[in-house]
Amino acid sequence: MIFTLKNIFRLIAILEGVSYILLLIATSIKYLLHNEQYVKILGMPHGILFMLYIALAFLIQKNMEWDNKNMMIIILGSIIPFGPFYIDYKYLK
């Protein structure tokens, strides 16, 4: 497999999507069961993946020929649950 920025972005997008869903579950556990251990474990990795997602999106924007509308959708995909999976399906395949 060739490690292009697009392939790295796809990997980061999937990892960011999974980490976001896990963080949402961990947040529910935090408030329902009063156990914030999982939020502490997942918070920083998710934050790093989120920042990488945004940075890589801007880095490959020109190469992927995304206009401003598509770029806005791709950025919004990072803050909507399951959004990165849609972005991978619609824009990265």
Side-chain angles (χ1 to χ4, degrees):
M1 177 178 183
I2 299 174
F3 290 105
T4 63
L5 277 179
K6 178 184 172 186
N7 289 336
I8 293 170
F9 181 66
R10 286 186 76 193
L11 175 64
I12 294 299
I14 298 302
L15 292 174
E16 196 273 337
V18 170
S19 74
Y20 188 30
I21 292 166
L22 291 175
L23 190 59
L24 289 174
I25 294 168
T27 303
S28 298
I29 291 170
K30 175 183 176 180
Y31 290 109
L32 294 174
L33 303 177
H34 307 290
N35 182 353
E36 58 186 55
Q37 169 187 350
Y38 300 110
V39 173
K40 288 180 180 180
I41 292 170
L42 294 168
M44 186 174 292
H46 170 70
I48 292 168
L49 289 167
F50 174 77
M51 290 187 295
L52 285 171
Y53 178 98
I54 299 298
L56 287 171
F58 281 106
L59 283 174
I60 68 170
Q61 178 183 10
K62 185 177 180 181
N63 188 30
M64 297 296 292
E65 299 177 357
W66 293 331
D67 60 14
N68 287 338
K69 178 185 173 190
N70 286 332
M71 191 63 182
M72 187 61 106
I73 292 168
I74 289 161
I75 296 300
L76 285 174
S78 69
I79 59 172
I80 298 171
F82 300 100
F85 305 111
Y86 171 77
I87 299 304
D88 180 55
Y89 175 76
K90 177 83 174 173
Y91 294 95
L92 299 173
K93 289 215 171 181

